[in-house]
Amino acid sequence: MTTVSSDGPETPSDIRIRTAERADLLGVHRIEQSVFPQPWPFSALESYLGEAGFLVAETDADDARVAGYVIADTVPNHGTPLGHVKDLAVRDDCRREGVATALLRRALELLSSVGVASVKLEVRADNEGALRLYRQFGFEHRRTIPNYYSNGEDALVMVRLLSNST
């Protein structure tokens, strides 16, 4: 079975998304360190355990190893919560298999279910793969934050309005 949504690309059915558990943290941390030039520390990842928006992906071909993860939550915004995708990463050997698509779709569904009207994220200005994914999901560039990252790279702030039917 393949899930198709007008809000994003197809997602293969052999990807399972679930809430992160303590046993996932080492795998998540390894992905974080391998993917990002400035990875979050283990303690930061650990602080999101138990949060509904800390999700991991597994694939049938992977013996239940973490293939990717997303951390999304809400922040106050003038009486209406604003969704925030804080972190999204996929293991190198699982890229281009729909893992990021499945994770982002589920995160947006969760945020929509708690009444979020819009979702924001920050992404490195030169991360073409991530930018392509976010644009496919309807995220639009709203502003640039110069020198956002410690190496001087700019971040693009992207926003997507939700219709509560993600």
Side-chain angles (χ1 to χ4, degrees):
M1 178 179 153
T2 300
T3 306
V4 180
S5 167
S6 61
D7 294 324
E10 291 184 4
T11 302
S13 63
D14 67 340
I15 299 171
R16 288 175 308 288
I17 309 296
R18 60 173 175 76
T19 305
E21 301 169 353
R22 181 160 297 281
D24 300 319
L25 281 178
L26 187 55
V28 167
H29 187 247
R30 285 181 178 144
I31 296 168
E32 178 77 15
Q33 289 189 316
S34 72
V35 170
F36 296 112
Q38 298 168 272
W40 287 12
F42 186 89
S43 60
L45 298 167
E46 187 176 37
S47 72
Y48 286 97
L49 269 181
E51 298 292 326
F54 187 2
L55 305 170
V56 296
E58 298 173 333
T59 66
D60 286 343
D62 217 16
D63 282 340
R65 279 181 51 211
V66 175
Y69 63 92
V70 64
I71 298 174
D73 66 4
T74 61
V75 293
N77 184 40
H78 307 291
T80 302
L82 173 66
H84 189 193
V85 176
K86 296 178 175 291
D87 202 357
L88 172 63
V90 175
R91 258 189 11 236
D92 285 338
D93 63 326
C94 294
R95 292 203 175 154
R96 304 238 182 268
E97 296 178 7
V99 174
T101 296
L103 285 163
L104 185 56
R105 178 174 288 116
R106 182 68 57 85
L108 293 174
E109 289 169 353
L110 271 169
L111 293 170
S112 181
S113 74
V114 297
V116 166
S118 59
V119 178
K120 76 168 188 163
L121 56 83
E122 298 82 22
V123 61
R124 289 180 187 275
D126 68 351
N127 189 338
E128 289 302 321
L131 288 167
R132 191 170 32 258
L133 173 70
Y134 298 142
R135 287 182 185 124
Q136 286 176 334
F137 274 86
F139 282 88
E140 297 178 355
H141 175 227
R142 290 289 173 91
R143 65 185 175 103
T144 301
I145 305 173
N147 302 311
Y148 182 81
Y149 298 99
S150 65
N151 66 355
E153 269 188 274
D154 295 347
L156 304 182
V157 176
M158 300 185 80
V159 176
R160 174 189 166 169
L161 301 177
L162 294 182
S163 62
N164 288 330
S165 61
T166 311

